[in-house]
Amino acid sequence: MPPLSAKNQAEDPKMKVEPLPASAVEILTHALRRRILSGDFRPGEFLRDVKMCEEHSTSRHTFRTAAQVLVTQGLLRQIPNRGFVVPEFGPDDIVDITRVRGAIEGEAIRLIVLTGVIPSQALEAVDVMHRSTLSSDRSALVAADRDFHRAIIAASGSVRLKRTYSDLEGEIELLLAQRQDFYATAEEMAEEHERLINSLRSRHYDTARDAFQEHWEDLQIKLLDQR
């Protein structure tokens, strides 16, 4: 029997397309991202080419390419003639990031209240918060917070809101990772996000907007207090 054509392969549900293996740049980008968000590098610390290449057994070209990807994600900054550095957020940065996040998310909750659909990923993120503790699961809590708010944006159904939020998400996640002590307990974090879910279930925009507004303002205050 002659081999299937490319068209027939695409139409045949039995034909599975194997995913392409990750490139060296993708692997290193993922590894560096995980280290940055885990706190392996201090805010303001430079990632030196030679050291990173030695620690990750990679070439300087691969490191610089991966670092450039992380710059686009807001997890690194490039300083001319000095290299790549982990961002250190000052008060103006904190105010600006949380303000822009609130503006984007505010439009998303307007659309969610209209549909009444609570994203399952947001509920799953709250479950993670309930099961976690600040002492042992800090990175899991930061990821859960990210997943919660990412789900809220995605549930809006707006491609442009998702794209805009994606440009900001790396900085938000890094800011939260660097300031992990703004909740007294993981349960406090879970309860606060449950209140946001309940506000959406009300199907009343003013109720949801006020709940999220309080959340944004409270987060900003807590982050600034840690400076």
Side-chain angles (χ1 to χ4, degrees):
M1 180 181 293
L4 290 173
S5 67
K7 181 183 179 195
N8 288 338
Q9 288 183 27
E11 293 175 349
D12 187 348
K14 295 181 181 179
M15 298 295 293
K16 294 183 179 180
V17 178
E18 293 295 330
L20 294 173
S23 69
V25 170
E26 290 171 332
I27 293 171
L28 182 58
T29 300
H30 179 75
L32 291 175
R33 178 185 176 86
R34 184 177 62 249
R35 292 187 65 185
I36 291 169
L37 294 176
S38 295
D40 281 5
F41 308 107
R42 300 182 308 277
E45 181 176 350
F46 279 85
L47 274 60
R48 302 300 181 188
D49 291 25
V50 174
K51 183 178 180 181
M52 291 298 101
C53 291
E54 289 178 351
E55 292 182 358
H56 292 275
S57 301
T58 191
S59 69
R60 183 168 295 184
H61 172 75
T62 298
F63 165 72
R64 288 180 175 175
T65 304
Q68 287 286 0
V69 174
L70 295 173
V71 169
T72 67
Q73 296 176 0
L75 296 177
L76 286 177
R77 290 176 183 162
Q78 186 171 17
I79 308 298
N81 302 318
R82 296 194 63 191
F84 299 94
V85 63
V86 178
E88 185 170 13
F89 298 111
D92 289 345
D93 297 308
I94 292 172
V95 170
D96 195 37
I97 290 171
T98 53
R99 180 176 55 203
V100 174
R101 178 194 193 182
I104 298 170
E105 207 166 41
E107 185 59 27
I109 63 174
R110 183 192 303 275
L111 297 172
I112 292 174
V113 167
L114 288 174
T115 64
V117 177
I118 307 298
S120 60
Q121 295 89 342
L123 298 174
E124 291 167 4
V126 173
D127 286 340
V128 171
M129 296 174 193
H130 276 302
R131 297 194 304 269
S132 303
T133 64
L134 287 179
S135 60
S136 62
D137 296 311
R138 291 180 181 274
S139 61
L141 283 169
V142 171
D145 187 281
R146 174 204 64 203
D147 292 345
F148 179 94
H149 292 281
R150 179 186 289 174
I152 296 298
I153 299 299
S156 72
S158 169
V159 173
R160 288 168 181 81
L161 275 183
K162 288 169 63 177
R163 186 168 62 219
T164 304
Y165 189 77
S166 177
D167 290 341
L168 185 68
E169 191 177 50
E171 286 187 306
I172 295 171
E173 193 171 2
L174 180 58
L175 176 57
L176 295 178
Q178 291 180 354
R179 303 281 181 269
Q180 291 178 2
D181 296 328
F182 47 81
Y183 288 106
T185 66
E187 189 60 25
E188 177 189 333
M189 183 180 189
E191 290 174 355
E192 183 168 328
H193 286 79
E194 276 187 341
R195 285 194 291 273
L196 299 180
I197 291 291
N198 291 334
S199 75
L200 294 172
R201 285 186 171 133
S202 74
R203 299 294 302 275
H204 190 265
Y205 174 67
D206 288 344
T207 298
R209 180 199 59 200
D210 290 348
F212 275 81
Q213 184 70 33
E214 182 181 349
H215 177 69
W216 303 322
E217 292 177 352
D218 184 57
L219 174 63
Q220 184 181 112
I221 291 169
K222 288 175 177 175
L223 291 170
L224 289 171
D225 282 347
Q226 292 190 354
R227 294 298 302 167

